[in-house]
């Protein structure tokens, strides 16, 4: 296993642990923020955004959604099932952690492709590549396409 594998797995485990304490509602907001941030910054790459703009835009959007989740939870005290809140939070935050790990890997692949860390993210031979190019992530992004990119026919 390479350093890229360890970093990716470490990020996912850290977010799973945080999800136990965050609970489901705040973890859902974190996941939504990460999804919208990923969609937005990947369009920025196509337009030639700098590495700093890419990173800070992702962090800003994700943080804004997370803060919104804390405010929503603090105002409403919404829970799905009180006894299962930590379990749901673990699972949802794990998905968000997967997205954050993918973001970290994408920074290296897009902006530092010649670095030794980027060279460790090799198709078919590393866990990091599976995290970057995971099928469930592709399915999630495909199913949220209409939310992330509304149709111009709707006037949105």
């Amino acid at each position: 296993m390479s350093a890229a594998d360890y970093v990716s797995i470490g990020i996912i485990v850290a977010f799973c642990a945080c999800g136990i304490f965050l609970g489901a509602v705040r973890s859902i907001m974190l996941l939504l923020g990460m999804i919208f941030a990923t969609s937005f910054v990947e369009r920025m790459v196509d337009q030639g955004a700098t590495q700093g703009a890419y990173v800070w835009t992702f962090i800003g959007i994700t943080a804004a959604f997370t803060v919104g989740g804390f405010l929503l939870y603090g105002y409403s005290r919404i829970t799905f099932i009180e006894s299962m809140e930590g379990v749901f939070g673990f699972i949802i935050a794990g998905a968000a952690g997967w997205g954050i790990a993918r973001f970290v890997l994408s920074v290296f692949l897009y902006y530092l492709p010649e670095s030794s860390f980027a060279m460790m993210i090799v198709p078919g031979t590393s866990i990091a590549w599976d995290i970057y190019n995971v099928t469930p992530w592709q399915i999630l992004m495909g199913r949220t396409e209409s939310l992330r990119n509304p149709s111009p026919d709707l006037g949105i």
Side-chain angles (χ1 to χ4, degrees), residues 33-117:
M34 185 269 317
I35 289 170
F36 282 104
T38 299
S39 174
F40 189 78
V41 298
E42 285 184 353
R43 280 188 253 143
M44 289 175 60
V45 168
D46 295 338
Q47 297 172 357
T50 65
Q51 180 182 355
Y54 180 83
V55 170
W56 287 110
T57 302
F58 183 90
I59 290 170
I61 293 171
T62 303
F65 270 78
T66 303
V67 168
F70 274 90
L71 293 174
L72 174 68
Y73 179 78
Y75 179 73
S76 63
R77 297 283 184 218
I78 294 173
T79 59
F80 289 115
I81 301 172
E82 193 68 40
S83 63
M84 296 296 288
E85 190 73 7
V87 173
F88 289 136
F90 176 85
I91 294 166
I92 295 165
W98 195 293
I100 300 292
R102 184 184 185 283
F103 163 72
V104 169
L105 296 173
S106 71
V107 168
F108 283 92
L109 290 174
Y110 296 159
Y111 293 103
L112 305 166
E114 301 299 322
S115 70
S116 62
F117 190 83

